[in-house]
Structures are given as structure tokens and as C-alpha cells.
Amino acid sequence: MNTYGRYPVVLVRGRGMKVWDSDGKEYTDFLAGIAVNNLGHCHPRVVIALQKQAQKLIHVSNYFHIEPQIKLAKMLVQNSFADRVFFCNSGAEANEAAIKLARKYAKENLCPDKFEIITALNSFHGRTLATITATGQGRFQKGFTPLMPGFKYVPFGDVGAVANAITENTCAVMLEPIQAEGGVNLPPENYFRELKTLLEEKNLLLILDEVQTGMGRTGKLFAYEHYGITPDIMTLAKALGGGTAIGAALATEKVAEAFSPGDHASTFGGNALACAAGTASLEAILEDGWLVSNCARIGEYFKKGLAGLKQKYNFIRDIRGKGLLIGMELDIDGTDIVKDAMKEGYLINCTMQKVLRFVPPLIVTEEEIDGLIQALDRIFEKRSAAA
Ligand SMILES: *Cc1c(COP(=O)(O)O)cnc(C)c1O
């Protein structure tokens, strides 16, 4: 259906930082399938894991135990705050699971009238009816009312606003550690620590949507590690499956206990093929310890390069981000810049009309970043000359 504004390009092949189209044109990929291909395209470990698993067992349903799912769940639990994992197939579904779990936990453990979830303006949590409602942006909700009851929005980064929004019906606060789709917005330094204190006082759950920030993207395996706090529930998807469709909701034992058999399910969720790819991908991220630390270091290098452009062009308003989730806010429309970049052989992204978003694979090198900066310089030069 006509749901995507696609570029007139057919991509046929990828390897590491590069993809090629059907005319043989080469692109350096700073989009990475929207922050999915953290290891680059067709990483050998992921490819081999998929080939091996495909020959052995692809899918059997969650009526049975399967080794790849157990293995991936174990790795996620060992490397995070969580004790339990529920697998599904996408970010939106992971957030649906989180919303259902938070409601069930609050109704069972606190009071049956607790169902309301506070989320942030400019957030993004997915495209199902519940998750467009959780998403604090009218542009995703237009045309789809009535929305789900039980959501309330506050400005991102304002603890006082959360405190004012809490009522006896509130059960949880759901946030991205860094708002990605909403323009790469970072919270103030102490925001999450102060928020966590408030939520503990009020006995409310913190749900972190790490669908985009997780799996090393921000220079830590999970972005909450930057803030010195842990959530009660965390959702993952995007980079979790090394390019295959998988999502997960993780939780502490205490919260996860609210789900019993029959409460929630997914036919495909965490199937053998996706979990084999996810396991290979997470193993690569963890064993190549430099990948995540490289992400932190090279992200700073990237921001410096972009700051050089900001010195030169007055229509560049701001540069912000953490690790390799970086935004460049412009005073001009960014969608044409994306098209110009494609002509130059670079895949980049624009969100909120005016924010160029860079989410390359974590294997990106300084040379590749230099190349992109030079290409942007040429594009911006032409824009200023025209203006
Ligand atoms: C992409 C994204 C989602 C939605 O994920 P889908 O797999 O497209 O459903 C949810 N939350 C955040 C923070 C995202 O970046």
C-alpha cells in the first residue's frame, strides 16, 4: 500500500558500510536500515548463523522450547538489569508488551484503577493503535481516532511536569533514553536520576523504550547505563536481530511475575531463525568489545566534524547526540539534503523535517566520516551559493 515515500532506488546488495543499487551505484550507509544494521550489512557471523539455523530449524511456535531463544534470552539477562524476556517481532510490539505488562502489574499489585501511562511529547513508540497513542506527536495520530484511553503527555526532560501529571490512576512512565525519531533530543544531565527517585517514591514503573538506543548505539550496550539508573521494563528491537525481525520486552522478576501463561503471546515471537541471528549479533557486539567503545569515541569524532560545518554555515542550528545516534538541526528543510547526499553516494536520514539524523553501523571509520563531512560541505556550499 502507499504507506512509504520511497526513493527511486532499488538496493540489491550490501557489505559492511556499503550498499549497491541495481545500476551498480555504491552508497556509504549512514542510515543502517534505520539503526538496525549495527554490525554493518551481511556481517559474516550473522550470515553463517542464519545459514546454519535455516538448515536445522526455522520455526516451531512458542508451544516448545528452542535453543536459540534460550541462548538469546540468557545473554540479554546476563548483560542487563533484567531477569526475564518476552520476544516478539518489532519495536511497536515490544512496547505493546511493555504497556500490557505495566497495566497488569499495577492492577494486580497496587490497585485495579491503575492503568494510566505518562509519555513524552515528541516521543516515538511505534505505529500500532496503542503505540501511536503512546507517541506524543499528533502527526502520527491524525486520521486514526479514537485513540487508546490511558495516556498522558509531558515535555521530555522535565521531572516537575511528570510529578504534576501523576494521579492515582498512573501506573508507569514510558520514555526513550534519547528521543531519536523526535529529533535526537537528549534529556538534561540529572533527569533520569531525579525521575527514578520520584517514581520509586510514588511506587510507579519506569519503562524505557530502547528500541533505537539499545545494542550499543549510544556507546554503551544500553543507553540507561549512561544515567546510573535501571528501568523496570525495557524494550528492544531494531538492532537486536542483526537485521532480522525481532523485538523484546525485558523486565525485572518482580514485574515480569504479573504475566502468566495465556496473558500475552506471539506466533513468530523469538523464533529460531531470528534468535539465531540475534545471538550471533549480540555475541559479535560483546566479544568485539571495541565496537561499543569505538562507537563512543568515533561519535565524538563525528560530532567534531559536524561542528566544523556549523562554523561555516549559519543555517546549521545545533549538533547533538550520543555515540552514533547523532542529529544536526537545520533552519532549512532537510529532506532535499538527504536526496543530495544520495547523489553524492551517502545514505542519510532526516526526521522532524529539519533534523539530519546519522545512525551508521558501529563499524564506521574516521575516513568514512570524513568522506560524508566533505560531501555535506559540498552540498551546503551549493545551498548557500543558491540562497
Ligand atoms: C523504531 C522505533 C519503534 C518502532 O519499532 P518498529 O519495529 O518499527 O515497530 C519504537 N520505538 C522507538 C524508540 C523506535 O525508534
Side-chain angles (χ1 to χ4, degrees), residues 126 223 229 236:
I229 56 125
L236 300 173

Side-chain angles (χ1 to χ4, degrees), residues 34 89-93 95 124-127 176 178 180-181 209-213 235 237-238 246 357:
I34 321 184
N89 314 283
S90 66
E93 273 180 278
N95 287 330
F124 183 77
H125 298 295
R127 300 293 204 134
E176 296 153 272
I178 295 168
E181 209 69 34
D209 178 347
E210 294 234 23
V211 168
Q212 189 151 165
T213 54
T235 55
K238 290 202 161 81
I246 187 169
R357 177 174 45 163

Side-chain angles (χ1 to χ4, degrees), residues 280-301:
S281 167
L282 183 51
E283 273 171 357
I285 290 173
L286 293 172
E287 279 172 32
D288 285 353
W290 74 269
L291 252 185
V292 178
S293 53
N294 180 59
C295 171
R297 186 190 60 81
I298 209 151
E300 289 308 306
Y301 181 83

Side-chain angles (χ1 to χ4, degrees), residues 315-318 328-335 337 350 353-356 380:
F315 53 77
I316 301 176
R317 179 173 285 213
D318 190 25
M328 177 189 247
E329 186 176 347
L330 307 173
D331 284 329
I332 56 171
D333 190 278
T335 50
I337 308 284
C350 173
Q353 285 289 314
K354 290 185 172 174
V355 182
L356 297 182
F380 290 154

Side-chain angles (χ1 to χ4, degrees), residues 16-17 28-41 176 178-185 211-219 238-239 295 298-299 302 306 320-328 338 346-351 355-365 369 372 376:
M17 279 293 294
T28 307
D29 188 359
F30 280 78
L31 174 61
I34 321 184
V36 165
N37 303 313
N38 282 12
L39 298 170
H41 291 272
E176 296 153 272
I178 295 168
Q179 292 187 325
E181 209 69 34
V184 189
N185 308 315
V211 168
Q212 189 151 165
T213 54
M215 312 319 289
R217 170 62 50 196
T218 68
K238 290 202 161 81
C295 171
I298 209 151
F302 200 162
L306 295 171
R320 52 186 183 252
K322 228 177 179 66
L324 286 168
L325 172 54
I326 296 174
M328 177 189 247
V338 174
Y346 288 92
L347 302 186
I348 61 170
N349 177 250
C350 173
T351 186
V355 182
L356 297 182
R357 177 174 45 163
F358 307 102
V359 283
L362 310 188
I363 57 170
V364 66
T365 63
I369 288 170
L372 172 69
L376 287 173

Side-chain angles (χ1 to χ4, degrees), residues 226-244:
H226 291 292
Y227 302 137
I229 56 125
T230 57
D232 302 286
I233 304 173
M234 170 173 79
T235 55
L236 300 173
K238 290 202 161 81
L240 177 59
T244 65

